[in-house]
Amino acid sequence: MNADPQQTLRSLLVSERSSFMEEKNRVIAQAQQHHLNYKVSVLLPECSAAPSHLDKVLKSFSTFYLIKNLPLYELLDKEFLEAAVYQGSVYGLSYRSRIDQENCIALTPNVVSVNLTDSSMAPGGRGYQRLLAGLTSCVQLRSDFLLSHHPGGRAALQSLLSRYDWSDYSPEVSSRSLTHLSCPTLLTSDLQTCDPHSFLEWLGAVDADVSCENSSSSFLSSLVSPELTMTVSQSLSVSISGLLLPQDIQRLIQELRCYLEQSRLVSWVVLTVHGFIDSPVSWSASEQRLLTGGENFYTLLLFHDHTYRLHMATRAPHTCPP
């Protein structure tokens, strides 16, 4: 916990504009590298209820599992490695652990310091045996653990689940209808200049149900709408929370693109993905530490002409989102 005070409040926001029609657009690649997600928020303007095809995707995110009192060395079990780690993508995070207590554990397709897919970590090898001995006889870490797998789901995790108390959960979906929502008129794809901080502040207020109809001297909230606004008569805000897989988020992004193509009234939609605050990793294998900020999310603003704006935030002084 030797954080440099000068770096305590610093954060990074990386923004880009491009098109899904560009072969080298980075949206899917970025979503794949944001492994541990706990919330997805979607704002649909000029919408009172999601159409059936979009509603189905919103409500079909993968099940995840909470395993009680799991010893860390079980993640090196040969059967688990062969059925889960080697056969897809495993996502796991210690439950109710805290970065400031230095007891956080994460399991992702890109492991931070121990790559379970490396040949040197094959069961029976010297590296495997040394790590297993350290975890069983010296460290003896245990934690409640959230775990999910793509594409195998429960079947891929059965060898581990069969030995411990566990519960399965479906991501929680909630929605709110918004009337007469004041939106920035800047929500057009041909805009040349736009302050992403102002846009994200407005979007966060909408998601948190905070009114923007305030005076700048208000004691409770000094947040005000941008000077130039437009009013949307009806909007729908949808939130999904749980241990959310990147693959499900990618599927949702594709469905939102289809929704824009089919709708004649809607010119834009926006999606925000939040990572776990106490996850030891943010983007890819970038390590998160105590007292280095708090941002760990990305926001994707999609337009009907296939263009988009992507805003990515992370804790500093670590590397920018890849």
Side-chain angles (χ1 to χ4, degrees):
M1 305 204 316
N2 296 323
D4 185 342
Q6 295 181 347
Q7 298 174 339
T8 298
L9 299 179
R10 184 170 172 262
S11 60
L12 296 172
L13 179 64
V14 179
S15 302
E16 70 173 39
R17 297 178 60 202
S18 188
S19 169
F20 285 101
M21 308 307 289
E22 291 286 342
E23 184 178 349
K24 296 183 179 180
N25 86 78
R26 302 196 302 162
V27 172
I28 297 303
Q30 299 291 5
Q32 289 175 340
Q33 295 184 71
H34 202 261
H35 300 302
L36 300 171
N37 311 288
Y38 89 91
K39 182 181 178 181
V40 171
S41 300
V42 179
L43 179 60
L44 305 171
E46 302 294 357
C47 177
S48 58
S52 57
H53 60 90
L54 178 57
D55 187 65
K56 182 179 179 180
V57 174
L58 290 167
K59 295 179 179 178
S60 61
F61 273 55
S62 302
T63 299
F64 61 96
Y65 304 88
L66 174 60
I67 306 176
K68 294 288 188 178
N69 200 29
L70 178 71
L72 185 57
Y73 65 79
E74 283 285 15
L75 300 179
L76 297 177
D77 176 71
K78 180 179 179 180
E79 207 173 334
F80 172 71
L81 292 174
E82 292 177 346
V85 175
Y86 301 158
Q87 300 300 323
S89 299
V90 186
Y91 302 87
L93 183 66
S94 50
Y95 182 59
R96 290 181 175 172
S97 56
R98 300 289 182 265
I99 284 183
D100 59 333
Q101 297 177 5
E102 299 183 344
N103 61 352
C104 297
I105 306 165
L107 182 61
T108 73
N110 295 324
V111 183
V112 177
S113 57
V114 180
N115 187 350
L116 299 181
T117 63
D118 190 87
S119 59
S120 65
M121 291 303 300
R126 178 178 296 180
Y128 175 90
Q129 294 296 346
R130 289 181 62 185
L131 180 59
L132 181 61
L135 293 177
T136 54
S137 62
C138 300
V139 182
Q140 297 184 351
L141 290 177
R142 288 175 175 265
S143 176
D144 293 347
F145 212 75
L146 297 172
L147 203 63
S148 191
H149 185 276
H150 178 83
R154 177 177 171 179
L157 304 174
Q158 189 58 42
S159 64
L160 194 61
L161 298 176
S162 64
R163 299 194 295 276
Y164 294 93
D165 293 333
W166 59 274
S167 304
D168 61 328
Y169 296 90
S170 295
E172 181 180 348
V173 182
S174 60
S175 61
R176 291 185 296 122
S177 294
L178 308 173
T179 57
H180 305 296
L181 177 65
S182 295
C183 302
T185 54
L186 306 179
L187 292 176
T188 57
S189 61
D190 59 350
L191 183 70
Q192 296 301 315
T193 60
C194 178
D195 176 20
H197 294 88
S198 297
F199 167 70
L200 293 174
E201 187 176 53
W202 167 79
L203 185 61
V206 173
D207 186 55
D209 198 19
V210 174
S211 174
C212 294
E213 304 301 324
N214 307 294
S215 66
S216 59
S217 60
S218 170
F219 174 77
L220 294 178
S221 174
S222 61
L223 179 66
V224 296
S225 298
E227 292 183 7
L228 299 175
T229 62
M230 57 182 291
T231 300
V232 178
S233 60
Q234 196 163 26
S235 303
L236 183 67
S237 175
V238 182
S239 294
I240 311 166
S241 57
L243 177 60
L244 310 179
L245 301 188
Q247 291 83 0
D248 290 328
I249 295 172
Q250 294 169 36
R251 189 160 50 94
L252 176 57
I253 291 172
Q254 296 300 332
E255 194 59 46
L256 288 173
R257 292 185 61 198
C258 294
Y259 169 72
L260 280 172
E261 287 180 356
Q262 297 171 9
S263 176
R264 296 181 178 179
L265 298 176
V266 180
S267 60
W268 58 269
V269 298
V270 62
L271 169 144
T272 299
V273 179
H274 299 269
F276 285 87
I277 294 177
D278 283 294
S279 168
V281 293
S282 55
W283 296 90
S284 188
S286 298
E287 184 178 357
Q288 289 196 117
R289 299 175 183 173
L290 178 66
L291 299 178
T292 53
E295 291 76 18
N296 179 13
F297 71 91
Y298 63 92
T299 292
L300 179 64
L301 178 59
L302 304 92
F303 297 98
H304 65 87
D305 62 356
H306 302 291
T307 59
Y308 67 84
R309 292 185 197 150
L310 180 62
H311 305 293
M312 302 165 284
T314 187
R315 298 180 176 190
H318 306 305
T319 57
C320 295

